[in-house]
Amino acid sequence: MSTHTHDDHHRPVDADAPVGYYEVMETAVRELLIGKQLIGPEEIRRQIEVLDSRTPALGAQVVVKAWLDPKFRARLLTDGRAACEELGISFYDDTRLIVLENTDKVHNLIVCTLCSCYPRPVLGLPPDWYKLKPFRARAVIEPRAVLAEFGTHIPDDIEIRVSDSTAMVRYLVLPLRPEGTEAYTEAQLAALVTRDTMIGVVQATIPRTQRTSL
Amino acid sequence: MTDTSALLNRLANDIGGAQAGPIEQVEHQLEPWEKRCHALADVLDFHKIINTEEKRRGVESLGEVAIGKLTYYERWIAAFANILFQKAILTPTELARQMDLVAARSTSCDVRSDYPSVRSG
């Protein structure tokens, strides 16, 4: 293994800049495939709309439903994909979804060491750090140190389980519902369920500003 | 074990457990072409032209130097081109000519915001 870093050197977006080599390649590949009628001209645009419709708000909806409805929670843990589809969240790919439940004994973390597999139908696209070398390399060997870099400190008596995603199997963390949220509405609960809680790099917590008022 | 065994045992994508520096919590909004590239990947998967594992292996086949220097979606589109050549769906000459056409067009108008169809046959 080399020690080079996988920094994605993103160039600034400039509308007047000449179109780059890889962008030209993307356009050329797409046009050739459309010309050969292997893909339809509308399919790319339609899939962009699908991608834009997927955000962590969908995952939060799933988590809140699981917090409030034990029967749904059981179905979700048995077959993540089917339970999400129940809520109208379609899977546009062939992936299986395994939902990993955090408990007072276990904290889950997801990663894709080989590339960037991620539960996109329920969370949208992953953040860049999820796709870069430091997280992929270290999550499986020193998860406590990785979590500490996100400000998450898990006591030593709580097991940390790291699940490595594949092309066919994706994971979603079901975070622990914070104590003191018994009177919360669904919308208030959903606000606690961020993307990073469902990756497992942080825990769902009540923001400091709300702690004193409730 | 020789010094070169790691080159065989660990391909470029296989970095789980490797030494690495601190996690920089970087994110960026996708550029329009990057989002089109992602959508293209999904559509290629839907049509069973290139699936996720073929894409991953295609990126790995670019080799460690290219993987280190290209951005995420640059790696994807380069991998797609190579896989499409291997499957005899496109030829390198065909792609080079189309890229010349696209590049020539982009100097006079912006190709990023529309989807001009290409003549078939």
Side-chain angles (χ1 to χ4, degrees):
Chain A
M1 286 308 297
S2 79
T3 52
H4 72 245
T5 57
H6 280 241
D7 290 326
D8 265 338
H9 37 96
H10 294 291
R11 291 130 197 162
V13 179
D14 178 351
D16 297 324
V19 177
Y21 178 74
Y22 297 92
E23 178 171 354
V24 168
M25 192 184 296
E26 177 275 326
T27 301
V29 167
R30 169 166 42 82
E31 290 180 357
L32 287 169
L33 294 172
I34 292 170
K36 290 171 188 290
Q37 298 185 319
L38 291 167
I39 64 174
E42 283 301 294
E43 284 185 283
I44 302 292
R45 187 193 55 73
R46 222 180 305 131
Q47 183 58 18
I48 287 172
E49 288 181 342
V50 171
L51 292 172
D52 283 343
S53 72
R54 304 315 170 101
T55 74
L58 292 174
Q61 184 196 341
V62 173
V63 168
V64 169
K65 175 90 172 152
W67 282 349
L68 297 174
D69 179 347
K71 286 182 181 163
F72 176 80
R73 177 198 199 90
R75 292 199 296 280
L76 182 68
L77 295 174
T78 305
D79 183 341
R81 178 173 174 148
C84 289
E85 286 171 340
E86 239 183 78
L87 299 184
I89 301 167
S90 64
F91 277 56
Y92 55 80
D93 52 22
D94 281 334
T95 56
R96 183 177 163 210
L97 181 70
I98 296 177
V99 176
L100 306 161
E101 182 182 32
N102 283 351
T103 66
D104 53 7
K105 304 235 172 9
V106 175
H107 179 88
N108 287 285
L109 174 66
I110 66 169
V111 65
C112 178
T113 61
L114 284 178
C115 186
S116 52
C117 289
Y118 187 75
R120 291 185 173 85
V122 273
L123 290 189
L125 303 184
D128 288 339
W129 55 259
Y130 184 88
K131 307 189 285 191
L132 292 170
K133 183 175 181 181
F135 182 72
R136 289 167 49 200
R138 295 175 52 215
V140 287
I141 197 149
E142 45 175 356
R144 283 178 203 277
V146 165
L147 291 176
E149 287 175 30
F150 286 87
T152 303
H153 301 278
I154 305 292
D156 283 344
D157 61 342
I158 294 180
E159 180 188 346
I160 297 184
R161 282 189 199 151
V162 184
S163 297
D164 195 357
S165 316
T166 70
M168 301 308 294
V169 180
R170 310 294 168 86
Y171 300 96
L172 180 77
V173 176
L174 174 57
L176 266 179
R177 180 175 175 171
E179 285 177 23
T181 58
E182 292 73 18
Y184 274 40
T185 63
E186 286 190 31
Q188 285 174 313
L189 287 172
L192 308 180
V193 187
T194 62
R195 176 194 71 199
D196 290 356
T197 68
M198 294 178 279
I199 295 174
V201 288
V202 300
Q203 294 172 297
T205 53
I206 302 175
R208 250 170 239 290
T209 48
Q210 286 177 31
R211 278 180 212 164
T212 47
S213 61
L214 283 159
Chain B
M1 296 277 275
T2 65
D3 290 338
T4 55
S5 64
L7 296 173
L8 300 182
N9 297 335
R10 285 254 190 186
L11 297 183
N13 278 15
D14 190 7
I15 59 173
Q19 296 269 320
I23 294 155
E24 290 172 39
Q25 291 177 40
V26 285
E27 318 199 13
H28 86 292
Q29 287 289 323
L30 296 196
E31 292 176 29
W33 85 268
E34 293 180 308
K35 197 176 271 186
R36 290 200 303 269
C37 188
H38 197 109
L40 178 64
D42 289 338
V43 170
L44 288 168
D45 187 37
F46 299 157
H47 287 285
K48 305 200 183 304
I49 298 171
I50 299 175
N51 69 29
T52 305
E53 173 54 17
E54 287 173 317
K55 177 182 72 188
R56 189 201 67 73
R57 211 165 340 121
V59 168
E60 196 158 62
S61 304
L62 296 173
E64 196 149 356
V65 174
I67 289 172
K69 291 194 171 170
L70 271 56
T71 65
Y72 186 74
Y73 287 104
E74 289 173 352
R75 298 193 286 268
W76 278 27
I77 194 62
F80 295 159
N82 284 335
I83 297 166
L84 293 167
F85 299 155
Q86 284 158 15
K87 295 192 177 207
I89 290 171
L90 299 183
T91 66
T93 306
E94 204 175 12
L95 179 61
R97 287 194 179 135
Q98 190 67 23
M99 285 181 67
D100 286 346
L101 287 178
V102 172
R105 206 170 62 208
S106 71
T107 55
S108 52
C109 66
D110 188 356
V111 296
R112 283 170 287 194
S113 56
D114 56 12
Y115 301 90
S117 58
V118 74
R119 283 164 295 143
S120 55

